Amino acid sequence: MARPGGTWALIDPGSTNGTTINGTADPIGRDVAVPLNDGDRIYLGAWTVIILQKGWSR
């Protein structure tokens, strides 16, 4: 993940199992910055899901 200009973006450097956002069928392209928003779900491979929530902390 990167934060260019104060906003978050996801960049997949070429993972083996692919990375998708919000359940789309097509993985994001290699080295393509995809802007992220509050509530987005990042799927890493088949089993890992990361949910972005603004202002949440442990």
Side-chain angles (χ1 to χ4, degrees):
M1 292 187 13
R3 193 171 181 189
T7 60
W8 288 100
L10 178 66
I11 302 169
D12 186 336
S15 64
T16 302
N17 295 316
T19 302
T20 60
I21 298 176
N22 297 325
T24 60
D26 296 322
I28 65 173
R30 181 181 182 147
D31 296 326
V32 175
V34 178
L36 296 172
N37 299 297
D38 186 36
D40 279 349
R41 297 176 319 274
I42 302 168
Y43 293 83
L44 306 170
W47 303 106
T48 304
V49 179
I50 299 170
I51 300 172
L52 302 179
Q53 291 184 310
K54 185 177 181 178
W56 187 84
S57 65
R58 250 186 190 177

